[in-house]
Each structure stands twice: as structure tokens, then as C-alpha cells.
Amino acid sequence: LFLARPPAPRARRPDGEFVVGFLGSLKPWHGIEILLEAFKVLRERSASYRLLLVGEGPLRSVVEDFCHAHRLTDSVTITGAVPHRAVPEHLARMDVGVAPYPDLPLFYFSPLKIFEYAAAGVPIVASASGQISDVLVHRESALLHPPGRVGKVVKHIELLRTSPDLGVRLARRARRKVARGYTWDRLAARVLAMVAGARRQRLVG
């Protein structure tokens, strides 16, 4: 996680662009189709929106076909796979980081992307799925929505574009939450403590 230094405040761009960002692999269970539908609606409302997809995956052709069909090609950037050291510069371009997971019957994982967004000071719009709603709180450290709800994704991104101060507050709180308990150092220390505890119990037993 990129917590070495506080992120710089996001300045409003002279051209008014608002970059919706996604970091991760382009796979069905990451909600790529939901994000595309939401972005189509956003572009219908304002030409200021841009979509930045940082990653690669089997749905890349689906994304490209969708953009071509809806004349969105000029407003969407797909970086493809990038080295980990290059991720911060892409996160710095985002005005909002999205994790639009669909309604999955077994959502058991804690997505790394929300921690990367938070550590980089990017306001978050995400599905209230699995551990996401354990880590983030709606309207306190992120804007959360029921999984698969395109309309809610649109509403929350629009809210952040029109209320930049809200985005700043959410991002600061999310970053503090991540810094307190979800850095690699803290997670490693927790695992080592668990191993040490198990070893002591084994010796006592």
C-alpha cells in the first residue's frame, strides 16, 4: 500500500474533467459491465467524465466493443497491465476509485483495490459486499451501494463530482482507517503474532 507520504490535494482541472478510475483485472466478478453501464449514463449527463481502467483481463474486448458501440472510445483509457511501481501515478489521476462488484452468492474476499484507493487518498464508490462494508462505512469513509445497482453507482459518482469537499472528507477518513490496521506491515505483524501464539500453545500442550 502506498502510505509513505500523504497524497497531494486533488486540484480541479481547468478543463473540468472528472476521472472515474478502476484498478484491477478486467474480469466478470469485478463488475466491469456494471461500471460500463454506469459510465454510459454519466457521459450522457456530462462530457466532463473520463474513465480510466488500470489493468488487463479477459473482458478487455468486451470493454472495447461496448465503447465503440456507444461512442465512448475517446473518453475511455485502458492502460493494460502495469508494474506495481507505476500504480501510484495512475491512482493520482483518479477523482474517484470504483469497486462495483455484482451480487455474488459467495463474496468472501477483501478487495485489494479499496485499500490502494484509500492509501492513495482517492474517494471510493464501492459495493457493500463482503468485507468491504466491514472496512468502510457509508458516507463516513466511502459511498457504498447494494451490489449490482447501476443507478446507485451513477448517483454516488455524480455526488462526488458536484461535492468535492465530500470526496476530500471521505478519502481522509478512509486513509486513516487503512493506515491504522490494513498496511502490509500491520497485517504481517498480525500473522506473525498468530503464529507465535499457536507455537506457544503447542509447547504448553
Side-chain angles (χ1 to χ4, degrees), residues 8-14 17 95:
R10 282 173 164 70
R12 301 297 290 179
R13 299 179 179 87
E17 283 189 355
D95 293 297

Side-chain angles (χ1 to χ4, degrees), residues 172-192:
R172 286 176 178 170
R173 290 168 183 165
R175 191 172 191 274
R176 284 200 295 267
K177 180 70 177 288
V178 166
R180 284 199 298 266
Y182 296 95
T183 64
W184 288 121
D185 288 344
R186 290 182 183 275
L187 291 175
R190 199 175 303 164
V191 171
L192 290 173

Side-chain angles (χ1 to χ4, degrees), residues 60-98:
R60 177 163 185 155
S61 62
V62 172
V63 174
E64 292 171 341
D65 291 345
F66 184 95
C67 293
H68 179 74
H70 297 281
R71 300 182 179 180
L72 296 171
T73 303
D74 292 342
S75 58
V76 177
T77 299
I78 308 173
T79 67
V82 299
H84 192 252
R85 65 180 180 278
V87 170
E89 66 186 74
H90 292 294
L91 290 171
R93 296 171 57 192
M94 299 179 185
D95 293 297
V96 56
V98 186

Side-chain angles (χ1 to χ4, degrees), residues 86-205:
V87 170
E89 66 186 74
H90 292 294
L91 290 171
R93 296 171 57 192
M94 299 179 185
D95 293 297
V96 56
V98 186
Y101 291 96
D103 189 8
L104 300 172
L106 294 174
F107 191 102
Y108 61 90
F109 55 91
S110 186
L112 182 60
K113 63 171 58 63
I114 66 166
F115 299 108
E116 301 285 23
Y117 294 153
V122 180
I124 299 168
V125 168
S127 302
S129 303
Q131 292 178 319
I132 294 177
S133 54
D134 294 334
V135 176
L136 303 173
V137 178
H138 180 54
R139 283 191 169 272
E140 180 179 310
S141 50
L143 295 179
L144 304 181
H145 57 268
R149 296 283 294 276
V150 172
K152 287 289 188 180
V153 176
V154 171
K155 178 182 178 181
H156 289 163
I157 293 175
E158 280 271 74
L159 181 58
L160 291 176
R161 183 176 70 89
T162 57
S163 306
D165 290 345
L166 173 62
V168 171
R169 290 197 300 273
L170 294 175
R172 286 176 178 170
R173 290 168 183 165
R175 191 172 191 274
R176 284 200 295 267
K177 180 70 177 288
V178 166
R180 284 199 298 266
Y182 296 95
T183 64
W184 288 121
D185 288 344
R186 290 182 183 275
L187 291 175
R190 199 175 303 164
V191 171
L192 290 173
M194 292 170 60
V195 171
R199 181 178 297 173
R200 285 196 297 272
Q201 289 182 351
R202 184 177 178 182
L203 291 174
V204 170

